[in-house]
């Protein structure tokens, strides 16, 4: 029995995302990592700005005491303003990356319509739902992109064929357009809508590291004259600058390497997911349009609107679902769908199941339902159906013999043999009873 309750979409969201400000901000399930990233950026930036302000104050004190300075200190107001601008912009792009819908594809409430299904059975088709055994969909479909064929996969969780370049994030439990990766530092998937913010975030992080590293070294060198022109003594005297030098030197290898890697990805129009799977190593990339156009596609094109209105009202249905493997569930499914699993068709309205044409013209009077038990208590299954016009002895097949299987035209296939054959040429078995 289902109870309908009107809720906001973000309140009934089936993904693992976390929402704030009434669904206006969407984060990943690991949103706490955003605060860690904020601390790693804000702490050294605040320390650097504090150092610059201290140097400015020290210089002003010397001027007020009419102390003759040979030249103004390099760490002045321009350095402070630029440092603050880079730090604030970096944090803004961090929150834009983390709190923006990356391009989540809305889920389907039910599998595709029956007109999209296929009657034929092949190895590329699978059951898409245990509750609908008569509905089959191909696992992949071919889509034409820029004159090249691209395969799109069916998502069992979202019940849809993913758009090209989309993938399902196991952490956020959503299909994301142009899925790049799930970044643990921003706690969010990186997709088509927040990738420009993400690249600016890591780029500004790299610039900030280089900026702080450079001016911290300049400060150490400038202060050397107050420590007897000894660089070592100057480093010991300027402890804060030394800490910032070590910290930014280590950090720039991570964010700098990541920035260079994504410059390569943008120039070749790849995603991290595609690159790690070597997707275009053996075939042409249908999205690559040249370096300039690839960069233009990221920063000279409008960000597509979100496919989800998280503040819209929806009806949430609470349905009690029983285990698919339980006998009661199977009986309920069969009763509801009224599907004959053996024949692959629905029974007649009177309750009778239609008999296949292959069995209508056979004489069933010769069928024997006796079982033969050998000396070792081994139960053997008899092949019951034979053509009545040929009188041949009944052939028995041992139970443990799993080499033979029945095919659609009534032949028996030996899995260990190279050819399809009959056990006896004059005998045409149609079915095998097995324990």
């Amino acid at each position: 029995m289902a109870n309908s309750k009107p809720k906001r979409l973000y309140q009934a969201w089936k993904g693992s995302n976390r929402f704030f400000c009434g669904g206006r901000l969407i984060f990943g399930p690991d949103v706490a990592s955003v605060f860690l990233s904020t601390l790693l950026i804000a702490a050294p930036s605040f320390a650097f700005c504090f150092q610059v302000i201290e140097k400015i104050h020290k210089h002003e004190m010397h001027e007020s005491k009419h102390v003759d300075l040979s030249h103004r200190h390099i760490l002045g107001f321009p350095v402070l303003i630029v440092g603050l601008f880079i730090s604030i912009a970096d944090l803004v792009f961090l929150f834009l990356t983390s709190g923006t819908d990356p391009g989540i594809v809305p889920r389907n409430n039910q599998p595709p319509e029956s007109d999209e299904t296929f009657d034929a059975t092949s190895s590329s088709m699978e059951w898409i739902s245990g509750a609908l055994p008569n509905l089959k969909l191909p696992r992949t479909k071919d889509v034409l992109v820029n004159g090249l064929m691209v395969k799109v996969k069916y998502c069992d969780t979202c019940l849809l064929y993913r758009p090209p370049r989309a993938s399902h994030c196991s952490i956020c439990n959503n299909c994301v357009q142009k899925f790049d990766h799930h970044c643990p530092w921003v706690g969010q998937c990186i997709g088509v809508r927040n990738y420009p913010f993400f690249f600016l975030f890591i780029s500004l992080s790299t610039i900030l590291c280089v900026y702080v590293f450079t001016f911290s070294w300049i400060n150490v060198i400038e202060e050397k004259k107050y420590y007897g022109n000894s660089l070592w003594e100057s480093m010991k005297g300027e402890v804060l600058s030394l800490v910032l030098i070590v910290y930014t030197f280590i950090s720039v290898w991570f964010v700098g390497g990541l920035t260079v890697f994504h410059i390569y990805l943008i120039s070749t129009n790849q995603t991290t997911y595609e690159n790690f799977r070597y997707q275009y190593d053996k075939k042409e990339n249908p999205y690559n349009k040249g370096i300039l156009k690839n960069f233009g596609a990221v920063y000279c094109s409008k960000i597509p609107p979100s496919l989800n209105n998280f503040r819209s009202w929806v009806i949430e249905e609470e349905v009690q679902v029983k285990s698919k493997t339980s006998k009661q569930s199977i009986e309920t499914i069969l009763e509801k769908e009224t599907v004959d699993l053996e024949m692959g068709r629905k029974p007649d309205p009177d309750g009778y199941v239609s008999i296949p044409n292959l069995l209508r013209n056979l004489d069933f009077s010769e069928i024997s339902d006796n079982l033969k038990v050998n000396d070792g208590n081994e139960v053997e299954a008899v092949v019951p159906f034979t053509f009545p016009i040929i009188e041949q002895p009944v052939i028995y097949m041992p139970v443990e013999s799993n080499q033979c299987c029945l095919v659609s035209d009534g032949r028996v296939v030996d899995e260990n043999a190279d050819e399809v054959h009959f056990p006896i040429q004059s005998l045409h078995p149609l079915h095998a009873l097995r324990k």
Side-chain angles (χ1 to χ4, degrees), residues 150-205:
V150 176
K151 287 187 178 296
V152 294
K153 294 182 179 180
Y154 180 82
C155 180
D156 297 304
T157 303
C158 300
L159 302 179
L160 52 82
Y161 283 99
R162 302 167 187 161
R165 311 191 83 177
S167 184
H168 191 90
C169 176
S170 59
I171 299 176
C172 293
N173 197 23
N174 298 310
C175 280
V176 179
Q177 293 176 292
K178 197 181 177 182
F179 177 77
D180 191 88
H181 69 289
H182 182 94
C183 182
W185 296 105
V186 302
Q188 179 66 284
C189 293
I190 308 301
V192 65
R193 299 193 70 249
N194 62 350
Y195 184 81
F197 303 138
F198 171 77
F199 181 73
L200 288 175
F201 160 64
I202 60 176
S203 300
L204 286 176
S205 298

